[in-house]
Amino acid sequence: MGQVKSVTSKLEEALLEGTFPANSKLPSERELAERYGVSRNTVREAIQQLGARGLVRIRPRSGVFVSDQLRTGATSPWGQLIADSPARREDILEFRRVLEGATAYFAALRGTDEDLERIRSAMARLDQARRDSNHAAESRIDVELHEAIAQASGNSMFLHLHSSVTKMMREHIIRNVDGLRELNQSVSEILAWQHRTVCDAICARRPEEARTAMQTHIDYVRSRFDADEG
């Protein structure tokens, strides 16, 4: 039982750190057994415990997938009220300014080489979606980029708070930012330039520049929302 508890704790930590993102497939039992130096039966029991708690979904013949429960734990009637209220959305954007400024700062300060490569990859895909005028993909990758930055911060609270806030804002983001991108190409170009500025500062490991660039980006998004709803 001691080994099962140990492996369960290690898998929980990997989920919290974002090593295995929501909806991703876990490595096979054999790979996990080799990683943790235990038997496949031990890994299987640990996975079953995580499954019983709703942290993973076990799909016969398909594998084990990370649930999105960790990313949606902050949802509540309060969260829905905020998502539906223009006045409260301003509160969320103000909170995002502080939160994402901090994630960018710490991503630049302590992001690993793997983290920075994930950020560069998301930025490259975001640029390609913009060149292809694929606004749906642009919006989706935009969220992925911000989540990659949160993960690079090395702080699990930043990652999970960011994911919860993004979930509350998702419908509003899709309705407003996507519409702005479709109607005004210059907005799309400005957003792309802002994202690139944030990513360049993070990858150059300049924390203060990264925080300022991220806060400038959030301020611009707030101003566009205000203009769209004013």
Side-chain angles (χ1 to χ4, degrees):
M1 287 298 294
Q3 284 190 325
V4 173
K5 183 177 181 180
S6 175
V7 173
T8 302
S9 295
K10 289 175 181 176
L11 286 171
E12 287 172 347
E13 188 66 22
L15 295 177
L16 284 170
E17 292 177 348
T19 302
F20 305 129
N23 300 313
S24 67
K25 185 177 179 180
L26 286 184
S28 68
E29 287 181 0
R30 178 180 57 79
E31 292 173 291
L32 290 174
E34 291 177 356
R35 176 181 301 193
Y36 298 127
V38 297
S39 69
R40 291 177 62 175
N41 282 339
T42 296
V43 170
R44 188 175 301 118
E45 288 185 46
I47 288 174
Q48 287 173 347
Q49 289 190 12
L50 295 179
R53 291 162 53 196
L55 298 177
V56 298
R57 300 187 304 276
I58 303 170
R59 299 177 183 171
R61 296 184 296 279
S62 295
V64 180
F65 295 82
V66 181
S67 79
D68 60 2
Q69 180 169 308
L70 284 172
R71 295 293 190 270
T72 59
T75 56
S76 64
W78 173 83
Q80 189 59 51
L81 284 171
I82 284 184
D84 292 340
S85 167
R88 299 290 76 78
R89 285 196 294 266
E90 174 63 20
D91 289 348
I92 291 184
L93 285 167
E94 185 175 272
F95 179 69
R96 277 189 67 191
R97 188 181 194 276
V98 176
L99 173 65
E100 298 204 48
T103 63
Y105 177 93
F106 285 108
L109 191 67
R110 59 194 181 203
T112 65
D113 290 342
E114 183 180 357
D115 288 330
L116 300 188
E117 182 54 38
R118 189 180 299 111
I119 289 170
R120 291 189 190 98
S121 173
M123 188 67 240
R125 290 185 288 113
L126 187 61
D127 278 336
Q128 186 60 54
R130 183 180 61 84
R131 287 193 293 270
D132 294 341
S133 296
N134 187 339
H135 301 295
E138 204 173 347
S139 178
R140 174 176 51 78
I141 299 168
D142 185 330
V143 172
E144 291 176 10
L145 174 60
H146 282 265
E147 185 147 324
I149 292 170
Q151 184 171 345
S153 73
N155 185 312
S156 62
M157 286 300 297
F158 286 161
L159 175 62
H160 296 295
L161 280 172
H162 172 268
S163 298
S164 297
V165 170
T166 300
K167 184 176 186 298
M168 284 190 282
M169 285 293 291
R170 190 179 303 276
E171 185 175 334
H172 189 246
I173 290 170
I174 290 172
R175 184 171 64 249
N176 289 274
V177 178
D178 277 10
L180 290 170
R181 279 175 166 143
E182 291 173 5
L183 293 173
N184 190 335
Q185 182 61 27
S186 68
V187 169
S188 183
E189 292 172 357
I190 290 170
L191 291 172
W193 175 79
Q194 290 173 346
H195 283 123
R196 199 172 300 110
T197 301
V198 172
C199 293
D200 286 349
I202 290 173
C203 292
R205 299 192 180 279
R206 296 194 292 265
E208 290 293 352
E209 288 184 31
R211 172 160 50 197
T212 298
M214 180 64 84
Q215 290 178 335
T216 298
H217 167 58
I218 299 299
D219 286 343
Y220 177 74
V221 172
R222 290 171 70 186
S223 71
R224 296 306 313 192
F225 281 5
D226 289 344
D228 187 49
E229 293 181 341

